[in-house]
Amino acid sequence: MSALAMKERPQVATAIEPLAFETRDLSKVFHIGRKWYAGGQPLRAVDGVSLSLRRGEVLAIVGESGCGKTTLSRMMLGLQPPSSGEIFVGGEPLTNVDRKVFARRVQPVFQDPYSSLNPRKTIGEIIRDPLLIHNIGTAKEQVAEVEAMMERVGLARRQIHSYPSQLSGGQRQRVAIARALIIKPEIIICDEPTSALDVSVQAQILNLLQSLREQMNLTYLFISHDLSVVEYMSDYVAVMYLGRIVEAGPTSEVMNAPRHPYTRALMKSILTPEPGLGLPDIHLGRGFPDPLNPPSGCRFHPRCIDAMDKCSSIVPRTLTDGEKIIECHLHDPEMAKA
Amino acid sequence: MSGLSSSSDAPVLVVDGMNVDIAVPAGALHAVSDVSFSVRPKETLCLVGESGCGKTITSLALMRLLPRTATLTARKIAFEGHDLAKISERAMARLRGYRIGMIFQDPMTSLNPVYTIGNQLEEVYLRHHRGASRKQARERAEYLLSRVGIINAGQRLGQFPHQLSGGLRQRMMIAMMLMCEPALIIADEPTTALDVTVQVQILQLLRGLQDEFNMAMILITHNLGVVARTADQVAVMYAGRVVEQGSAEDVFHNPAHPYTRGLLECMPKHGQAASMGRLGSIPGIVPSLVGNQRGCSFRNRCSLQMPTCHEGQIDLRPARGDHFYRCLLEPGATKPRPVSLGSAA
Ligand SMILES: Nc1ncnc2c1ncn2[C@@H]1O[C@H](COP(=O)(O)OP(=O)(O)OP(=O)(O)O)[C@@H](O)[C@H]1O
Ligand SMILES: Nc1ncnc2c1ncn2[C@@H]1O[C@H](COP(=O)(O)OP(=O)(O)O)[C@@H](O)[C@H]1O
Ligand code: SF4
Ligand code: SF4
Ligand SMILES: [Mg+2]
Ligand SMILES: [Mg+2]
């Protein structure tokens, strides 16, 4: 039941071309404290997430710290095995895809441009590495390719011999993007690619990601906690709360008419640069939930201003309407009757 | 800036001509140059700018917590009858944490991981209130934890900092700051590491506490949204200098300096999708602050730069009323056209 609309989309799409990426009922459970076989406490970091990503689209995942965004992206990158559920790349199960083939199709760009680059390698070496690993081209061709890619992402050619420590945060993120793109992948998974950057540099990097996407027909999974960035970057958005997608749909629809009370609170939290408005009332309780003891019923109920009696006992169903998903009793006609 | 206001809203802090130089292998790094501002009770002054432009060094200078390699000079830094640029370290230690409270981006750096929250709160109180009992300290700690919105305050007192979420730790830092009676809060990126929802809640909390305890606040941030929604006064910093200064209304509605305008254009706006065009951006990066600077420090990134921008010193000059900016063009100019140098104020 949980992924109805998401399952319909592939069927429509497969007629033309397979989905770039898909997850079905994907979960990750960590066992905290003692070893799992000794009954460690389970933490459901990602809990039954079904998503799909069409070629050339940008799907954004948004949600607060600890809601499972990075865990989801690490599973999709094959860096962490799922506890259950499936991942498909280009219609094929991830488990059947050869590691190297996968890496040529899917590349990551991480949040922290400081720790994600090897400090002992030059910029040229870092960007060239994937070509060496995948044995693509002659040495001469590789160098030419590195230079072309540096130019494309806005790095000066003279920086080819620099080390990461000699670059600014924005330049390092350009290096990370160049390294990801050098083997011409189809899909880029960006985990908060600009949250460590200044707004001026963020704008440069977002513009770059958009241009590259158009030029290279790239598909992005774009993780962020900043809804204004998400609105600018994405075609679809999925809002995550405590491991689950609680609302999803075309970005403009979700942003213009958020339905889930949590999405609404996120929208109200955007601080636009308008003086005189003061701080918004976001209508949100302050109790941050303990992921080890998620609240009963709707996980959001302790912070929800619209919570009803049934919210603390009945888990909301996943409702789908075309491309939109919502998990909230307020939007469940059955519940309205009850 | 004006001496006309009544004594009840006289500034708590007046900074006049503050400079901080840091000795680095390549020479003197001018981290802060000629910075002046003042802040009144209940008022919030926001320092805003890109990373590396001198915001943190400004706040450390006010607290006299600069690295050893740094030199602080100022015409004056007046706070409650003291000149913070000149008083002894002992006198400063009596003000720090007592009359001037601090909040940092990462509360873990200022919390001691081996002591319980209760212990740390009580210590602050006992240090500044000779003769107070531990019981009094505990009562105040419990009151303040609940005042900053920590549920089950009594129970939390026995916990250690790492057992709290980021938002809770920041609330606890705020409670710790309030254990004494600061007249001035210096908050350096207090919400940068927090979720957007928690950010709003923490800023709301600070706003309410300012009114309740009559506190002035210097809020340092690189987030223009935070500035617009919290500031009474704004100082935009670039390369160690204030390049624009004024009320939040003036700075956001009529940005006078090309840098301020550039920053505002970089922000994605509601309703703006990438398909509708690119974001505005400021090319390039902040210049090195080492050595003597001539001309406008923003010139290598400014689309309006003119030959005159490379020479001499560019002073802060009035745009209108109490609104100042540091640029050779008319306020808010969109074309490079030098004003006659004779008319510069
Ligand atoms: N290796 C791990 N072992 C145990 N728990 C983990 C592990 N990795 C993540 N978690 C937990 O899983 C949950 C989701 O974490 P995740 O890092 O995916 O969140 P996130 O949404 O990326 O947060 P942020 O915005 O802070 O990056 C959290 O409660 C986290 O503490
Ligand atoms: N301990 C230090 N030694 C040398 N230079 C420093 C030190 N701390 C800061 N700086 C330099 O001083 C300038 C201002 O830094 P800072 O105040 O931290 O900026 P901001 O807080 O605005 O990001 C930068 O050029 C920075 O590199
Ligand atoms: S199900 Fe109830 S508690 Fe959950 S979001 Fe909807 S109204 Fe709020
Ligand atoms: S002084 Fe010149 S370079 Fe500096 S901001 Fe003004 S126009 Fe631009
Ligand atoms: Mg993460
Ligand atoms: Mg700083």
Side-chain angles (χ1 to χ4, degrees):
Chain A
M1 160 79 229
S2 70
L4 246 170
M6 289 297 180
K7 277 182 188 145
E8 277 161 16
R9 280 174 56 191
Q11 280 160 20
V12 181
T14 36
I16 316 146
E17 99 178 281
L19 281 168
F21 228 119
E22 190 186 0
T23 74
R24 286 193 202 149
D25 215 13
L26 197 63
S27 296
K28 180 74 193 180
V29 184
F30 293 109
H31 294 270
I32 305 297
R34 285 168 296 167
K35 289 275 186 331
W36 62 269
Y37 51 78
Q41 225 181 326
L43 186 157
R44 305 189 78 84
V46 171
D47 191 6
V49 166
S50 302
L51 290 171
S52 60
L53 195 55
R54 277 183 295 227
R55 189 96 201 255
E57 272 178 7
V58 181
L59 169 67
I61 313 272
V62 65
E64 62 202 343
S65 183
C67 71
K69 307 181 293 296
T70 297
T71 306
L72 175 64
S73 72
R74 288 179 58 80
M75 286 192 284
M76 291 173 75
L77 281 165
L79 297 174
Q80 213 156 38
S83 305
S84 62
E86 290 164 294
I87 302 170
F88 299 87
V89 189
E92 260 183 283
L94 177 63
T95 42
N96 295 359
V97 183
D98 176 75
R99 276 302 315 162
K100 277 201 162 176
V101 173
F102 178 79
R104 288 201 60 170
R105 284 160 75 171
V106 185
Q107 281 288 316
V109 174
F110 297 110
Q111 164 172 7
D112 187 357
Y114 297 89
S115 62
S116 64
L117 302 178
N118 185 336
R120 280 179 295 277
K121 286 190 172 175
T122 65
I123 300 314
E125 288 167 347
I126 291 170
I127 300 174
R128 184 180 174 183
D129 253 356
L131 295 176
L132 289 172
I133 293 168
H134 294 280
N135 212 350
I136 302 169
T138 62
K140 215 173 147 195
E141 284 166 348
Q142 289 178 351
V143 173
E145 195 61 37
V146 168
E147 286 178 350
M149 188 50 75
M150 284 180 69
E151 187 175 336
R152 197 161 208 172
V153 301
L155 289 165
R157 188 173 294 186
R158 64 184 152 74
Q159 287 168 323
I160 199 163
H161 301 298
S162 306
Y163 287 89
S165 61
Q166 297 168 302
L167 302 186
S168 70
Q171 286 171 330
R172 282 182 242 211
Q173 204 56 296
R174 288 176 196 270
V175 173
I177 292 169
R179 176 183 59 184
L181 292 181
I182 192 97
I183 48 173
K184 312 241 166 359
E186 297 156 17
I187 302 164
I188 305 287
I189 296 188
C190 309
D191 190 355
E192 310 249 13
T194 62
S195 26
L197 304 176
D198 277 313
V199 61
S200 56
V201 185
Q202 165 172 286
Q204 294 169 8
I205 298 294
L206 295 181
N207 285 343
L208 172 66
L209 285 170
Q210 281 298 349
S211 305
L212 294 169
R213 172 199 176 195
E214 287 162 14
Q215 292 161 16
M216 303 171 74
N217 190 26
L218 294 167
T219 305
Y220 291 153
L221 182 78
F222 189 92
I223 294 177
S224 179
H225 66 274
D226 185 338
L227 266 181
S228 52
V229 169
V230 162
E231 177 169 26
Y232 178 72
M233 286 299 288
S234 67
D235 306 305
Y236 291 89
V237 60
V239 180
M240 224 171 154
Y241 190 79
L242 273 190
R244 281 194 73 81
I245 305 291
V246 295
E247 178 163 10
T251 305
S252 58
E253 285 186 49
V254 173
M255 299 288 292
N256 289 322
R259 296 193 293 165
H260 196 282
Y262 177 62
T263 316
R264 288 190 205 146
L266 282 181
M267 293 288 303
K268 289 204 189 89
S269 307
I270 300 179
L271 300 178
T272 53
E274 298 170 276
L277 290 187
L279 291 161
D281 190 348
I282 58 171
H283 299 300
L284 189 60
R286 56 173 183 249
F288 189 75
D290 176 2
L292 281 172
N293 290 301
S296 59
C298 170
R299 288 163 204 219
F300 183 59
H301 85 261
R303 296 168 82 189
C304 181
I305 52 152
D306 297 316
M308 304 160 278
D309 284 345
K310 58 192 166 220
C311 295
S312 56
S313 53
I314 307 172
V315 177
R317 295 189 298 161
T318 312
L319 296 170
T320 56
D321 165 15
E323 288 176 319
K324 295 193 287 187
I325 291 186
I326 181 106
E327 278 190 0
C328 169
H329 293 319
L330 287 177
H331 299 277
D332 188 340
E334 295 285 312
M335 276 296 163
K337 271 184 259 154
Chain B
M1 243 164 269
S2 85
L4 298 173
S5 42
S6 68
S7 65
S8 68
D9 68 345
V12 183
L13 174 78
V14 178
V15 177
D16 186 10
M18 182 169 83
N19 298 289
V20 179
D21 287 354
I22 304 176
V24 293
L29 184 151
H30 303 292
V32 175
S33 306
D34 189 26
V35 166
S36 303
F37 53 75
S38 62
V39 54
R40 289 164 207 286
K42 295 189 185 166
E43 201 178 62
T44 300
L45 166 77
C46 281
L47 296 183
V48 63
E50 285 168 284
S51 90
C53 68
K55 306 182 298 293
T56 295
I57 295 292
T58 300
S59 70
L60 294 178
L62 297 176
M63 301 296 307
R64 289 265 301 273
L65 290 173
L66 286 168
R68 252 180 252 283
T69 47
T71 318
L72 165 68
T73 56
R75 278 190 292 277
K76 74 169 185 231
I77 303 176
F79 176 78
E80 300 196 324
H82 306 276
D83 186 343
L84 301 186
K86 301 204 171 69
I87 58 172
S88 69
E89 175 47 38
R90 275 191 62 188
M92 189 67 216
R94 277 196 295 270
L95 295 174
R96 203 186 287 134
Y98 181 50
R99 298 297 296 160
I100 308 178
M102 293 168 282
I103 317 169
F104 299 109
Q105 171 170 354
D106 180 6
M108 272 321 249
T109 56
S110 34
L111 295 174
N112 192 326
V114 302
Y115 292 110
T116 64
I117 289 159
N119 242 311
Q120 298 188 50
L121 289 171
E122 289 158 23
E123 272 317 307
V124 181
Y125 188 77
L126 295 173
R127 199 183 317 141
H128 291 287
H129 296 81
R130 301 253 159 75
S133 70
R134 201 157 266 280
K135 182 162 170 285
Q136 284 171 310
R138 173 141 300 223
E139 278 166 9
R140 175 129 181 116
E142 208 171 315
Y143 164 72
L144 285 174
L145 280 189
S146 59
R147 176 64 188 84
V148 300
I150 293 181
I151 312 161
N152 302 334
Q155 206 178 314
R156 294 281 185 194
L157 288 172
Q159 288 189 312
F160 292 90
H162 70 264
Q163 294 173 303
L164 305 179
S165 71
L168 276 183
R169 264 184 233 140
Q170 205 54 291
R171 284 179 197 273
M172 143 136 191
M173 269 305 294
I174 294 170
M176 193 145 123
M177 177 191 77
L178 294 172
M179 287 301 284
C180 298
E181 296 98 38
L184 173 67
I185 309 173
I186 299 177
D188 189 354
E189 307 270 6
T191 58
T192 302
L194 303 176
D195 283 311
V196 288
T197 51
V198 183
Q199 163 165 281
V200 172
Q201 291 169 329
I202 294 286
L203 293 173
Q204 255 155 359
L205 170 65
L206 285 169
R207 177 75 260 165
L209 292 169
Q210 266 182 286
D211 290 340
E212 183 177 335
F213 297 103
N214 211 26
M215 296 179 293
M217 176 157 72
I218 297 176
L219 178 68
I220 293 175
T221 176
H222 67 276
N223 182 327
L224 286 162
V226 170
V227 178
R229 301 305 192 91
T230 58
D232 299 299
Q233 299 291 320
V234 180
V236 182
M237 289 190 76
Y238 187 76
R241 287 194 159 80
V242 172
V243 296
E244 180 156 3
Q245 196 161 7
S247 69
E249 276 76 15
D250 282 344
V251 171
F252 282 92
H253 289 149
N254 299 303
H257 197 281
Y259 177 59
T260 314
R261 277 213 318 281
L263 282 181
L264 285 168
E265 282 161 16
C266 289
M267 295 185 73
K269 319 273 174 304
H270 184 36
Q272 181 181 12
S275 55
M276 295 153 70
R278 296 288 176 261
L279 295 169
S281 70
I282 308 175
I285 54 167
V286 183
S288 158
L289 301 180
V290 179
N292 282 331
Q293 299 154 31
R294 290 181 64 227
C296 173
S297 45
F298 185 57
R299 66 174 185 260
N300 62 346
R301 302 175 74 184
C302 181
S303 59
L304 305 180
Q305 61 150 306
M306 311 160 291
T308 42
C309 302
H310 294 249
E311 297 149 21
Q313 181 184 322
I314 296 169
D315 291 323
L316 207 55
R317 56 199 200 95
R320 207 179 46 139
D322 273 343
H323 181 190
F324 296 83
Y325 73 120
R326 201 186 286 273
C327 168
L328 295 175
L329 294 175
E330 298 288 358
T334 51
K335 282 201 225 63
R337 184 172 57 81
V339 293
S340 127
L341 288 172
S343 73

